[in-house]
Amino acid sequence: MTDVPFTDASSGPARPARTGSLLEADARTRRRNAAEARFRLYGIAAVGVGLFFLAALLYAIFSNGIGAFQQTGYTLQVEFREDVLDKTGNRDLEDIKSVKTFAYSPLLRAAMLREIETHGIDTPLADAKVTGFSSPLDKLFSDGARSTLRDMVLADPSLIGQTVAVRILASSRVDGYLKGRVSRESIERDKNLDAVHLDLIDKLRDAGVATKGFNLAFITGPDASDARPEQAGLGVAMLGSLYMMIVVLLLSLPIGVAASIYLEEFAPQNRFTDIIEVNISNLAAVPSIVFGILGLAVFIQFVHLPQSAPLVGGLVLSLMTLPTIIISTRASLKAVPPSIRDAALGVGASKMQAVFHHVLPLAMPGILTGTIIGLAQALGETAPLLLIGMVGFIASNYPDGAISGFLAPNSAMPAQIYEWAKRADPAFYERAWGGIIILLLFLMTMNIIAIILRRRFERRW
Amino acid sequence: MYDNPDLARTTVTRDIKIAAHGCQVFYGDTHAIKDVDIDIEDKTVTAFIGPSGCGKSTFLRCLNRMNDTIDICRVVGDIRLDGEDIYDKRVDPVQLRAKVGMVFQKPNPFPKSIYDNVAYGPRIHGLARGKADLDEIVESSLRRAAIWEEVKDRLDAPGTGLSGGQQQRLCIARAVATEPEVLLMDEPCSALDPIATAQVEELIDELRSQYSVVIVTHSMQQAARVSQKTAFFHLGSLVEYGETGHIFTNPTDPRTESYITGRIG
Ligand SMILES: Nc1ncnc2c1ncn2[C@@H]1O[C@H](COP(=O)(O)OP(=O)(O)O)[C@@H](O)[C@H]1O
Ligand SMILES: [Mg+2]
């Protein structure tokens, strides 16, 4: 016994007698209490540090990203001049289509000049010359503004000849200036805007022509090329993520649950199932990029599925999600008390009836929780998408229908964020943070659903 | 193994429901039941007594093949229900368990409504013709389990919401709803208070008129109160088996006597 050093029962010959008043803590008790107090302090400190980092993270994300949800634009009275847009005057759609995008530039400039005039704004730009096809005024507008007008006319040729109030997207520099991203100092190194532009913008803002509005296009719109950050949106990438999640859910939930039920309830306990078990746990720890290269080798190079397709992304992410679902499903099957199985078998239910009538319904909340958490992980996963070509793809077209949703090249939310963060223009950087906010909102919603499910169906035996 | 010649004379002969011969049970290398021979009579309450770990539950679970669910468990020997070998390859344990119902130590109602608890067995065995018939089975089972009056107004309430004693009687109702011929009970009262125990014991006495009841119990008094025959197990062997009155007043084996008088156990 002497080799077990119990501090409370030392085996020395003279045992100290337990004496003294209860009203007064002895030295041992005081030491113990001090240790406990210290331990609590450590705990509180640890929680505090964690909360501090969380707060710092959230602050960084929101302060950087919230700007992406607002976009500067001008409300202009655009006159769709017939002599520019439809010289023949017969409203033939083919003729109207033959008018190229840059032909709409004069309309934009004229509309802007009209605002400058009506608000009595004094600016040298009012007399700026048009050289070739460009004018210094053009730098105020988004590159996409002209095609916005053209799309309006093509959708509704009766606009020709009318003057309509249109909200025109400002260029990303103007947007950056009004959001404080672009300053007067920084434009000196920048050939896009001059001080005269900034003076004009200040006055346009004061006149209520240049305003910031909610940027729905950022949430629903397609990505845009490097030159038009003000038009870039997450919408198409979100669809890509959605289609991937559908694939992941449809594949990994049934396969994962079936595998878990078999392993947990039916498979004999032997070396073989032990090996499977160890391998599933190991699979959960495999770096996701490994699944990516596996997907590239198997699904794209061997099976010849299309590159960058959400179907392939979904397949790869399913592989990644399966272990998560299997592990959580097995845990929730294990948590169903064996007495329930005995009860079912005892009244003559077959094993399968016992599982499907009693065990599975009880394990369902746990299974769904695990599935949602697995999906959330998959939703935020970027590395494997790198290898199957979903990162770097410019998601500029909406899929036309479910089939192309699965098979046409697309991006995914985290891939799109990575793509934006990579681009040079700080306007894209802001959008990357904004994308992270959206992604986090999705993940948070999914986790909250998981928590609610768990709370709601939690059973006490 | 009982080899007291007196027993043969004192036994009132009833039909034999279950006959076990040379029954051995192994859990892996553990020899849990050693060569047990026993004839369990119809319409009789048979009590299994013995110290913890002597194999009472193990043997009881052999009688409806619940041991099949334990991977490492192996049963040897011959156990017959109405003369048919229940370990025959052609026997489906599912059918056997419908005939040989079981009530467990810890009340284990399904986390479903009281009605569904009782109706589950008849449903999966297709015993009811229609909803009205099922209602009737549920009611009569709950009545037989002496719990109908307490739950008739809340058949939709969850079975897990009842008190321990009520839960156990609900489990008995669930077991009798499949119309078994034998009812196995593994320490059905060990989780119950004295009042609930008395109710369940009364119930067991009534069930005797229709079923052969085998009850494992830790309480000598309970065995004496409810059973007609008693089997004493010790270290995996059946030491003594006979009329309850005889075992308790005049045990043949010294081990039985020591156990009954409280010296082992
Ligand atoms: N599932 C099991 N796996 C391994 N050994 C078991 C198992 N169940 C019971 N045993 C062993 O079998 C012996 C008899 O157990 P049991 O039948 O539960 O005794 P009792 O019900 O009389 O208390 C004990 O030694 C016990 O350790
Ligand atoms: Mg037992």
Side-chain angles (χ1 to χ4, degrees):
Chain A
M1 284 301 230
T2 44
D3 54 352
V4 186
F6 282 115
T7 42
D8 284 70
S10 54
S11 50
R15 290 223 178 89
R18 198 172 276 283
T19 53
S21 160
L22 264 184
L23 300 177
E24 195 180 325
D26 60 16
R28 273 187 85 75
T29 314
R30 273 199 301 276
R31 269 204 309 280
R32 259 184 345 214
N33 291 349
E36 197 169 314
R38 262 197 318 276
F39 182 74
R40 273 189 207 185
L41 217 65
Y42 296 150
I44 291 171
V47 172
V49 169
L51 284 180
F52 170 76
F53 279 116
L54 182 66
L57 181 75
L58 286 180
Y59 175 76
I61 290 173
F62 278 92
S63 60
N64 280 312
I66 208 75
F69 294 90
Q70 292 220 311
Q71 197 68 39
T72 309
Y74 315 103
T75 317
L76 301 181
Q77 301 292 328
V78 178
E79 185 191 0
F80 292 97
R81 278 159 49 197
E82 190 171 11
D83 58 320
V84 178
L85 302 180
D86 189 18
K87 293 196 180 81
T88 57
N90 57 14
R91 299 291 185 272
D92 182 353
L93 202 58
E94 287 311 309
D95 285 346
I96 301 173
K97 271 187 188 158
S98 69
V99 180
K100 293 285 180 291
T101 311
F102 61 81
Y104 286 78
S105 294
L107 306 188
L108 273 178
R109 292 174 206 141
M112 181 52 88
L113 288 173
R114 192 172 311 133
E115 292 300 328
I116 291 173
E117 196 176 328
T118 45
H119 289 96
I121 297 169
D122 179 29
T123 167
L125 288 171
D127 318 311
K129 292 276 169 304
V130 179
T131 50
F133 287 117
S134 67
S135 145
L137 272 182
D138 292 348
K139 292 179 176 170
L140 296 174
F141 306 113
S142 160
D143 267 357
R146 293 168 300 188
S147 33
T148 311
L149 291 182
R150 185 166 181 266
D151 290 344
M152 279 175 74
V153 171
L154 292 182
D156 180 12
S158 70
L159 284 174
I160 295 175
Q162 297 186 39
T163 303
V164 184
V166 185
R167 187 166 167 81
I168 299 295
L169 216 49
S171 68
S172 72
R173 297 302 146 104
V174 173
D175 182 55
Y177 177 62
L178 288 186
K179 284 176 183 163
R181 194 175 62 226
V182 175
S183 66
R184 282 178 183 273
E185 292 78 58
S186 71
I187 58 154
E188 287 172 7
R189 285 174 271 117
D190 185 335
K191 55 189 179 325
N192 284 298
L193 289 186
D194 299 324
V196 282
H197 286 111
L198 298 188
D199 295 338
L200 174 60
I201 291 162
D202 282 337
K203 287 171 186 161
L204 284 174
R205 182 193 51 203
D206 296 341
V209 176
T211 51
K212 279 191 276 182
F214 180 67
N215 189 6
L216 187 65
F218 174 60
I219 300 171
T220 60
D223 190 16
S225 68
D226 275 3
R228 295 179 286 123
E230 66 280 354
Q231 278 196 313
L234 197 58
V236 176
M238 254 192 240
L239 279 180
S241 281
L242 174 74
Y243 282 109
M244 285 203 306
M245 290 305 113
I246 292 175
V247 175
V248 174
L249 187 68
L250 291 186
L251 280 179
S252 57
L253 183 62
I255 296 177
V257 170
S260 317
I261 291 179
Y262 177 73
L263 287 174
E264 199 56 45
E265 306 282 340
F266 293 95
Q269 287 296 317
N270 55 29
R271 187 170 294 257
F272 182 63
T273 45
D274 281 351
I275 291 174
I276 291 181
E277 191 152 330
V278 170
N279 277 306
I280 288 174
S281 311
N282 284 342
L283 220 54
V286 168
S288 55
I289 195 135
V290 176
F291 288 106
I293 205 158
L294 183 78
L296 174 65
V298 175
F299 299 128
I300 294 179
Q301 292 172 349
F302 184 69
V303 188
H304 294 296
L305 288 173
Q307 267 193 29
S308 314
L311 175 67
V312 179
L315 288 170
V316 170
L317 294 178
S318 298
L319 292 179
M320 251 191 61
T321 314
L322 260 177
T324 314
I325 291 186
I326 292 181
I327 288 170
S328 69
T329 302
R330 294 189 67 181
S332 37
L333 288 174
K334 268 200 188 86
V336 174
S339 66
I340 294 294
R341 296 175 181 83
D342 283 349
L345 296 176
V347 294
S350 68
K351 199 150 184 177
M352 198 161 138
Q353 284 172 327
V355 170
F356 281 89
H357 294 167
H358 300 287
V359 179
L360 199 56
L362 293 175
M364 217 53 195
I367 295 174
L368 291 183
T369 307
T371 307
I372 293 173
I373 288 173
L375 281 186
Q377 273 176 12
L379 185 66
E381 195 57 66
T382 327
L385 307 184
L386 216 69
L387 289 160
I388 56 165
M390 290 187 84
V391 176
F393 178 78
I394 309 297
S396 50
N397 291 309
Y398 293 99
D400 47 346
I403 305 270
S404 79
F406 288 115
L407 292 177
N410 202 336
S411 189
M413 282 159 70
Q416 181 71 71
I417 290 167
Y418 173 70
E419 179 62 28
W420 282 337
K422 235 170 39 175
R423 294 187 194 168
D425 194 324
F428 279 115
Y429 189 61
E430 178 186 80
R431 278 175 144 65
W433 286 100
I436 286 173
I437 293 180
I438 295 182
L439 185 60
L440 279 182
L441 284 180
F442 272 102
L443 298 183
M444 247 149 65
T445 315
M446 290 168 90
N447 282 326
I448 287 171
I449 292 174
I451 290 171
I452 290 174
L453 266 179
R454 196 157 34 196
R455 287 271 162 82
R456 183 123 193 253
F457 293 98
E458 199 170 58
R459 244 167 231 288
R460 279 164 273 273
W461 307 101
Chain B
M1 277 188 291
Y2 56 102
D3 40 18
N4 182 353
D6 290 353
L7 279 179
R9 269 187 280 117
T10 51
T11 306
V12 185
T13 41
R14 277 167 286 222
D15 291 340
I16 289 174
K17 191 69 189 170
I18 297 180
H21 286 285
C23 180
Q24 319 236 17
V25 182
F26 301 86
Y27 288 111
D29 293 334
T30 318
H31 198 173
I33 292 288
K34 295 161 194 155
D35 204 16
V36 167
D37 294 334
I38 192 168
D39 289 334
I40 293 167
E41 294 165 2
D42 202 7
K43 306 211 188 312
T44 306
V45 178
T46 306
F48 289 177
I49 60 170
S52 279
C54 67
K56 308 179 294 290
S57 301
T58 300
F59 185 65
L60 192 73
R61 291 163 61 92
C62 289
L63 303 182
N64 69 344
R65 291 185 59 174
M66 278 300 272
N67 283 336
D68 290 13
T69 61
I70 300 170
D71 280 339
I72 54 168
C73 183
R74 194 162 55 85
V75 179
V76 212
D78 179 65
I79 301 178
R80 287 174 184 274
L81 174 71
D82 291 328
E84 290 177 329
D85 183 1
I86 63 171
Y87 280 89
D88 191 286
K89 278 193 191 62
R90 286 164 295 178
V91 172
D92 186 343
V94 166
Q95 267 175 314
L96 171 69
R97 288 181 205 137
K99 274 189 167 188
V100 184
M102 187 154 196
V103 175
F104 298 84
Q105 179 168 2
K106 205 174 130 241
N108 57 353
F110 299 127
K112 298 182 186 242
S113 73
I114 294 173
Y115 184 94
D116 286 339
N117 261 283
V118 183
Y120 182 68
R123 271 193 192 127
I124 59 172
H125 295 298
L127 296 181
R129 291 175 304 276
K131 170 87 175 113
D133 202 21
L134 190 60
D135 289 350
E136 206 178 298
I137 294 178
V138 170
E139 178 175 341
S140 67
S141 307
L142 287 169
R143 276 189 197 284
R144 267 190 281 176
I147 190 181
W148 171 251
E149 290 303 323
E150 289 156 72
V151 300
K152 67 178 177 200
D153 300 324
R154 45 171 172 153
L155 291 177
D156 291 333
T160 37
L162 298 171
S163 76
Q166 288 173 324
Q167 287 190 10
Q168 195 60 300
R169 278 178 289 151
L170 176 62
C171 292
I172 294 174
R174 182 177 65 191
V176 300
T178 54
E179 296 178 16
E181 297 163 18
V182 180
L183 203 52
L184 308 177
M185 301 180 147
D186 193 350
E187 302 187 34
C189 300
S190 67
L192 305 187
D193 63 64
I195 293 173
T197 301
Q199 285 167 330
V200 172
E201 283 179 8
E202 205 173 308
L203 178 59
I204 292 171
D205 201 49
E206 281 163 24
L207 293 174
R208 174 160 70 98
S209 62
Q210 289 168 10
Y211 310 104
S212 163
V213 179
V214 184
I215 174 172
V216 171
T217 176
H218 252 115
S219 151
M220 240 69 70
Q221 289 86 340
Q222 185 172 59
R225 280 194 302 264
V226 300
S227 71
Q228 286 77 52
K229 306 270 300 214
T230 296
F232 172 63
F233 287 80
H234 186 57
L235 298 177
S237 309
L238 177 61
V239 174
E240 195 164 352
Y241 175 51
E243 294 290 327
T244 301
H246 191 86
I247 296 252
F248 277 92
T249 52
N250 195 8
T252 337
D253 195 286
R255 287 170 292 179
T256 318
E257 196 188 347
S258 324
Y259 181 68
I260 288 168
T261 54
R263 264 177 284 151
I264 52 175

